[in-house]
Structure formats: structure tokens, C-alpha cells
Amino acid sequence: MRLHIDRDRCTSIGLCEALCPDLFELDDDGSVILIRGEDVPDDVDTEQVDAAVSGCPNGALSTTA
Ligand code: SF4
């Protein structure tokens, strides 16, 4: 699974970080950092990833297989 961020849509609300802290972090400027890169590692709970993607209020997150 690969993560994508549409940075034009992201408004730095931080819900992704709250729902999936293993992958998402906001830096001091409010930019989302993919802590472990775009490719989701096998040890990450995919339910958390799905929660972050579907929970983003701006639809800024998506995944591809
Ligand atoms: S939940 Fe969406 S809008 Fe909020 S910081 Fe994450 S990507 Fe950006």
C-alpha cells in the first residue's frame, strides 16, 4: 500500500496524526510528514491507515495498492 497526500487540500488539522501516529506527524510548520515514507510497512495496522485516510476532513489522503 502506498500513501499519497494532496498538499493543496491539507489544512494541517492533524487528525491523521491522531488516528495513525505510526505514519503521520505534523512538523512545526503544520506540514504533514510521512514518518516512514510513502510505502506503508507491513508492521503498520492497516485499519489505522484506513481510519486516517477516511478521517481526513479535506480528502487530502489516499492510498494505492
Ligand atoms: S487529516 Fe488531512 S487535513 Fe488534517 S493534517 Fe492530515 S492530511 Fe492534512
Side-chain angles (χ1 to χ4, degrees), residues 5-6 9-17 24 26 30 32 52 55-61:
I5 302 174
D6 182 341
R9 290 185 173 209
C10 175
T11 51
S12 305
I13 296 166
L15 211 58
C16 52
E17 182 182 35
F24 299 94
L26 261 63
V32 178
C56 175
N58 298 329
L61 301 175

Side-chain angles (χ1 to χ4, degrees), residues 3-63:
L3 276 167
H4 307 277
I5 302 174
D6 182 341
R7 293 187 184 277
D8 290 336
R9 290 185 173 209
C10 175
T11 51
S12 305
I13 296 166
L15 211 58
C16 52
E17 182 182 35
L19 293 169
C20 187
D22 289 344
L23 293 186
F24 299 94
E25 189 176 294
L26 261 63
D27 70 11
D28 292 341
D29 296 327
S31 295
V32 178
I33 301 169
L34 295 176
I35 304 168
R36 301 182 66 185
E38 290 187 348
D39 290 318
V40 178
D42 290 341
D43 62 318
V44 173
D45 182 353
T46 55
E47 285 188 16
Q48 276 191 19
V49 180
D50 292 342
V53 170
S54 61
C56 175
N58 298 329
L61 301 175
S62 60
T63 57

